[in-house]
Amino acid sequence: MARRQEGQTRLDEAARAGWLYYVAGRTQDEIAQSLGVSRQTAQRLVSLAVAEKLIKVRLDHPIAECLEYAERVKERYGLKSVEVVPSDPGSSSSTIGVAETGAAELERWLKRPEPLVVAMGTGRTLRAVIDQLSPMECPQHKIVSLTGNISPDGSAAYFNVIFSMADAVKAPHFPMPLPVIVSSREERDLLHRQPLVAPTIELGHRSDVAFVGVGEMTMEAPLLLDGFLDREEMRQLLNIGAVGEICGWVFDAEGHLLDHPVNDRVASLSLPPRDRATVIGLAQGARKHTAIRAALRGGHVNGLITDEITARFLLQS
């Protein structure tokens, strides 16, 4: 008990130091004096505030070059919206920048007064987006999951985001109590007809906006690492041209869904119609370049949040 209180006190100090530094504009020397600690301790507290996500920094100035890339990508691929964030060549993160911008975009939708159906995919990028989401009260909206929330071993899928999002925005939510990929087309169809599942599917088809990640197809792909596919299935898919996936649906370099048994077994919902709904893909990084381009070519998304290196690739290819 004492240890937990000690840890909470440390976070309280970090939060106070972070507020003084980022909001009040105080120097680290001034923070040290205000908190009665050394300058080194003040510096560590500010760093802890960032590491524990007590401080969420968003850039509020559009960078001209990023704006230019966004307009050109939007025009080239016929998209509704594109946001391009600065790239950090020294970072290996596949979410930094995109997650913060994705959270801001999601908040803009959630702040609308009219009731909306907001559909969510799954994955590491979307989990990072939800981590950046500000607490809100949105009882007028409904949040629906496009993908199952059960891992192959029966446990809750770690990167499913609907529960943490619903907790952050206090909105009614409709999970998909299924695996991402099941054993057969027949099992998928049977599960989709279940009374607890069918209403979620119907709601998903009426989504006004969807936020989805774009996954690459390699021997290091999330679908393989997370156990939804085995290595032989992945090799088969790669041999027939698989380059990317969205919500488990696998497509080739032109964005065509592959004619393969794996796609017959995907239990995820199909994406809402792009002529009616906004479907925003969030992805960046060299290993995803081909998958992102394919998703745009195939019309799987009509909105994109990515980084400037990816935008240059999309314009050159």
Side-chain angles (χ1 to χ4, degrees):
M1 184 69 169
R3 187 174 301 172
R4 184 167 56 196
Q5 289 176 342
E6 184 178 309
Q8 185 60 50
T9 299
R10 187 69 169 173
L11 287 180
D12 288 346
E13 292 175 343
R16 189 178 297 276
W19 189 91
L20 288 169
Y21 188 77
Y22 287 102
V23 180
R26 306 281 289 276
T27 68
Q28 291 180 357
D29 286 330
E30 290 171 333
I31 294 170
Q33 184 176 5
S34 175
L35 299 182
V37 298
S38 68
R39 187 181 188 281
Q40 290 76 14
T41 298
Q43 185 177 19
R44 285 195 293 269
L45 287 172
V46 172
S47 297
L48 179 61
V50 175
E52 292 293 329
K53 300 188 186 305
L54 307 180
I55 299 294
K56 297 173 182 177
V57 180
R58 292 179 183 170
L59 183 66
D60 201 27
H61 177 77
I63 298 174
E65 191 171 23
C66 290
L67 286 176
E68 181 185 350
Y69 284 142
E71 283 301 313
R72 290 171 60 193
V73 171
K74 179 180 176 181
E75 180 179 356
R76 176 161 183 172
Y77 292 93
L79 304 177
K80 284 186 176 181
S81 66
V82 177
E83 291 199 55
V84 174
V85 304
S87 296
D88 178 5
S91 173
S92 60
S93 172
S94 63
T95 64
I96 191 168
V98 166
E100 290 80 0
T101 302
E105 177 64 17
L106 179 53
E107 287 175 12
R108 282 191 284 270
W109 283 89
L110 292 172
K111 287 176 181 176
R112 296 188 181 191
E114 70 273 16
L116 299 173
V117 178
V118 180
M120 299 298 296
T122 188
R124 292 154 177 80
T125 301
L126 288 183
R127 185 180 177 94
V129 167
I130 302 308
D131 285 344
Q132 294 291 328
L133 201 60
S134 299
M136 305 172 68
E137 298 280 344
C138 304
Q140 73 275 28
H141 303 318
K142 294 179 179 178
I143 305 167
V144 61
S145 180
L146 292 173
T147 62
N149 57 9
I150 300 175
S151 294
D153 63 0
S155 63
Y158 181 73
F159 292 106
N160 192 278
V161 303
I162 190 169
F163 297 110
S164 54
M165 177 179 170
D167 186 56
V169 304
K170 303 300 185 290
H173 57 290
F174 299 80
M176 182 68 68
L178 302 173
V180 175
I181 298 175
V182 296
S183 61
S184 67
R185 180 202 295 261
E186 291 73 23
E187 182 185 8
R188 179 197 66 189
D189 294 343
L190 176 64
L191 290 170
H192 279 191
R193 290 195 296 268
Q194 297 306 302
L196 290 176
V197 177
T200 299
I201 294 175
E202 193 275 333
L203 186 64
H205 290 157
R206 294 193 286 109
S207 301
D208 298 288
V209 62
F211 289 77
V212 298
V214 181
E216 75 279 12
M217 293 295 285
T218 68
M219 297 308 290
E220 301 296 326
L223 281 181
L224 180 60
L225 297 180
D226 296 341
F228 294 108
L229 296 178
D230 61 38
R231 298 184 70 83
E232 180 56 32
E233 288 171 325
M234 181 60 76
R235 289 191 188 96
Q236 291 177 11
L237 289 165
L238 293 176
N239 287 339
I240 62 172
V243 301
E245 57 88 12
I246 295 178
C247 297
W249 298 101
V250 184
F251 46 83
D252 65 16
E254 295 302 317
H256 302 134
L257 291 179
L258 291 177
D259 182 12
H260 188 275
V262 164
N263 273 341
D264 293 334
R265 294 162 38 213
V266 174
S268 303
L269 303 188
S270 57
L271 297 176
R274 268 70 78 201
D275 59 348
R276 180 187 59 77
T278 300
V279 181
I280 300 172
L282 300 94
Q284 67 176 347
R287 61 189 176 85
K288 292 191 175 188
H289 282 176
T290 303
I292 297 168
R293 180 180 62 189
L296 298 182
R297 286 176 172 175
H300 297 291
V301 300
N302 54 16
L304 179 67
I305 299 175
T306 192
D307 70 325
E308 57 186 328
I309 292 177
T310 302
R312 284 201 294 269
F313 170 82
L314 294 172
L315 292 169
Q316 293 167 359
S317 57

